[in-house]
Amino acid sequence: MTDQISLRKDRIFLMGFMGSGKSTIGPILANTIGYDFLDIDRAIETRTKKSVTEIFREDGEQYFRSVERDIISQIIAHPRLVVSLGGGTVTDPELFRVIASSGILVYLKVTPEQLYRRLHRKTDRPLLADIEGNRLGEPELRDRIQTLYTSREPIYSKADIVVMTDDTRVGITVDQIVKLLSRHLR
Ligand code: S3P
């Protein structure tokens, strides 16, 4: 752990596309700067006692988003906290506003090509599956990633800090974020 840092906003939110590394980088960053850590998807799973895939299948995306909003509202004042958001958390403009006003937004940026490479074997992302929950074929998956990427990139790009993470080792990315956070010290 580095020396304790004191930031102008007391929370750090990691955002970015599915597969951008939010859940991997979040706990390491939190440990490095001595903050608590929360992964939104895991918190939703703990609360509902279901996997993300089961929630989408059995209760639908709207219900998933309502639990997501509820958890954000509960943790939004937690001091010294790193949060790994879900890829879609910030697509609700009101939720984006709440998150942006209470924390520093860090966008882990990855190209669609790299996302395809990271995601094409995964089965735990309902938004990247067909309606029966089966994995998409290569052209369909590339298309789906590109469509979501195009609609979300403008939102992610509003982040306070943007780091490219395509071929970067996790430790290097964490170091980059910690350095860039120094611009946000109190
Ligand atoms: C989603 C991303 C997922 C999860 C859910 C919806 C999205 O989280 O919240 O499957 O809308 O992009 P990760 O970004 O952690 O994969």
Side-chain angles (χ1 to χ4, degrees), residues 14-23 39-42 44 52-53 56 61 64-65 68 84-91 119 124-128 148 152 156:
L14 299 184
M15 61 178 184
F17 208 85
M18 294 168 253
S20 59
K22 304 179 293 291
S23 301
D39 186 299
I40 287 287
D41 286 339
R42 299 297 82 75
I44 295 170
V52 170
T53 303
F56 269 72
E61 181 174 355
F64 177 85
R65 298 296 173 203
E68 190 174 47
S84 294
L85 297 171
T89 316
V90 290
T91 57
L119 291 165
D124 56 353
R125 302 307 203 294
L127 291 182
L128 300 180
L148 279 171
R152 291 176 172 186
Y156 297 150

Side-chain angles (χ1 to χ4, degrees), residues 34-102:
Y35 273 35
D36 291 337
F37 172 70
L38 183 97
D39 186 299
I40 287 287
D41 286 339
R42 299 297 82 75
I44 295 170
E45 292 182 330
T46 304
R47 161 92 67 96
T48 59
K49 300 192 178 63
K50 290 182 182 183
S51 69
V52 170
T53 303
E54 284 167 342
I55 303 169
F56 269 72
R57 192 177 56 228
E58 295 168 16
D59 310 292
E61 181 174 355
Q62 275 202 10
Y63 174 72
F64 177 85
R65 298 296 173 203
S66 71
V67 181
E68 190 174 47
R69 271 198 306 277
D70 201 44
I71 290 174
I72 296 280
S73 70
Q74 284 176 355
I75 54 108
I76 209 72
H78 186 102
R80 302 176 68 83
L81 181 68
V82 173
V83 181
S84 294
L85 297 171
T89 316
V90 290
T91 57
D92 173 343
E94 176 55 19
L95 205 48
F96 179 88
R97 199 191 56 70
V98 169
I99 289 168
S101 65
S102 82

Side-chain angles (χ1 to χ4, degrees), residues 10 12 21 38 65 78 88-91 105-106 130 142 145 160 162 164 170:
D10 215 11
I12 298 163
L38 183 97
R65 298 296 173 203
H78 186 102
T89 316
V90 290
T91 57
L105 291 177
V106 178
D130 68 15
R142 283 186 184 279
I145 289 173
D160 302 291
V162 180
M164 250 343 262
V170 170

Side-chain angles (χ1 to χ4, degrees), residues 18-31:
M18 294 168 253
S20 59
K22 304 179 293 291
S23 301
T24 306
I25 287 166
I28 302 172
L29 174 65
N31 189 45

